[in-house]
Amino acid sequence: MLITLSSPAHTARLAQQLAERVRLGDCFALSGGLGAGKSTFARAFLQALAQDPTLDVPSPSFALVQPYDTPAGPVFHYDLWRLSGPEGLYELDWDEACDGIMLVEWPERAEDHLPPNALHLTLAYGEGEEERRLMLTGWDAERLEGVGV
């Protein structure tokens, strides 16, 4: 499914819509270049799950993982940019995270260790300065119905 996001606010609305559909065991794999909107999506997604629009959502770039307790369950926000290889995942509570909700930036660094039912969100620059194109793959059409509008 390809969605055109007209602004960061549109990206945040989409993140909120997906947060409403989340289940324990879900993994959201966020790909895209620097500045493509991964952090905007992650912040809005976590604020929606925590039911707190003021929740501080720092980038986990340095720590590699930032855990959150939310009403939907435990959430693990990963930034794997600095990960040297997938063998380092297990030092980051990866097994425990697979039972919770995972938000993974730079998922390609996990190689084949992502859960098989992951929703892949690939963000790319669009026409205007704020426009982004989002490709969603990995979930069936029924679960994604109404997302992005």
Side-chain angles (χ1 to χ4, degrees):
M1 167 186 273
L2 180 63
I3 299 171
T4 299
L5 301 167
S6 60
S7 66
H10 193 183
T11 301
R13 278 195 311 276
L14 179 122
Q16 292 162 354
Q17 290 172 342
L18 289 172
E20 292 170 1
R21 292 164 166 76
V22 76
R23 301 175 189 153
L24 288 176
D26 280 346
C27 176
F28 296 81
L30 295 166
S31 298
L34 293 173
K38 297 183 302 293
S39 294
T40 299
F41 177 92
R43 184 175 306 107
F45 182 83
L46 287 162
Q47 289 171 340
L49 283 182
Q51 299 174 2
D52 181 357
T54 64
L55 177 70
D56 184 35
V57 180
S59 172
S61 295
F62 183 72
L64 302 180
V65 62
Q66 180 68 42
Y68 296 87
D69 287 319
T70 73
V75 180
F76 297 83
H77 181 195
Y78 288 92
D79 183 331
L80 302 182
W81 174 252
R82 294 182 36 245
L83 190 71
S84 59
E87 60 279 351
L89 291 172
Y90 297 98
E91 296 173 19
L92 302 172
D93 296 324
W94 191 261
D95 286 335
E96 179 185 347
C98 288
D99 293 331
I101 299 163
M102 301 170 74
L103 189 58
V104 183
E105 297 184 49
W106 305 100
E108 59 277 1
R109 301 210 188 250
E111 296 180 8
D112 61 348
H113 295 275
L114 284 178
N117 63 339
L119 177 63
H120 293 266
L121 300 95
T122 305
L123 289 147
Y125 291 96
E127 299 286 324
E129 187 175 315
E130 292 189 337
E131 185 180 279
R132 299 294 184 265
R133 309 252 180 200
L134 173 66
M135 176 62 73
L136 295 169
T137 57
W139 282 4
D140 60 38
E142 181 179 309
R143 191 155 180 211
L144 291 171
E145 188 175 334
V147 168
V149 293

